[in-house]
Amino acid sequence: MAMSISANIELQVLPSKLWEILTACDDFLAKLIPDVFASIEYIEGDGNVGTVRLIKFGPAADAHSITFVKEKLEIRDDATKTLTYSVIEGEILNFFKSYKATVTIAEGADPSSCTVDWTLEYELLNADGAFQELAKAGTVRIFKSIEAYLLASPPP
């Protein structure tokens, strides 16, 4: 049975800057949060629909026996700032039959803020529900880390 969990994250950053970071193929997140991400790279494609990226996790994921995932980009909508990735390989599939995350960035209450809507759609295989909450907490941490970086960095 398909289930979902979601988070709504308010950030004091421009939607365009956050979108730029999320759609870039570089190791920015690995440099920003090295305990979570060891590396992120495109192994097929160029960042458009069908692209496959390999994410190798850092030491923070060791406790959960998750070392990597391969994700396929299913949706990239620049107009609505929406990305949807499905996990196609990795230890996470020992716990889930399917695992698909969607991120949408919308303008916030003021022009220099945004709201991130994150939804994880999944089917359990061998999990008790705790892992989904860890994924949600991790996602909030990632976006708050990006926000802190952007707020501390002067605009170019």
Side-chain angles (χ1 to χ4, degrees), residues 71-91:
E71 297 180 326
K72 185 173 187 175
L73 182 59
E74 293 187 4
I75 296 170
R76 177 181 173 157
D77 186 330
D78 293 324
T80 63
K81 294 182 177 55
T82 299
L83 295 171
T84 298
Y85 279 96
S86 289
V87 172
I88 59 172
E89 190 178 322
E91 297 96 344

Side-chain angles (χ1 to χ4, degrees), residues 92-99 122-125 127 131-132:
I92 201 165
L93 295 178
N94 294 332
F95 306 101
F96 297 92
K97 182 177 179 181
S98 64
Y99 192 95
Y122 60 92
E123 286 186 71
L124 292 173
L125 185 64
F131 194 87
Q132 299 85 278

Side-chain angles (χ1 to χ4, degrees), residues 3 18 27 36-37 41-42 44-46 49 55-56 58 65 74 82 88-89 91-92 101 127 138 144-145 149 151:
M3 299 161 58
L18 183 58
D27 264 349
V36 176
F37 299 108
E41 64 179 306
Y42 289 165
E44 291 177 30
D46 59 1
V49 172
I55 300 173
K56 293 181 182 175
S65 302
E74 293 187 4
T82 299
I88 59 172
E89 190 178 322
E91 297 96 344
I92 201 165
K144 288 296 185 177
S145 295
Y149 169 82
L151 291 174

Side-chain angles (χ1 to χ4, degrees), residues 18-30:
L18 183 58
W19 183 249
E20 182 181 319
I21 287 170
L22 293 184
T23 56
C25 178
D26 58 27
D27 264 349
F28 172 79
L29 288 176

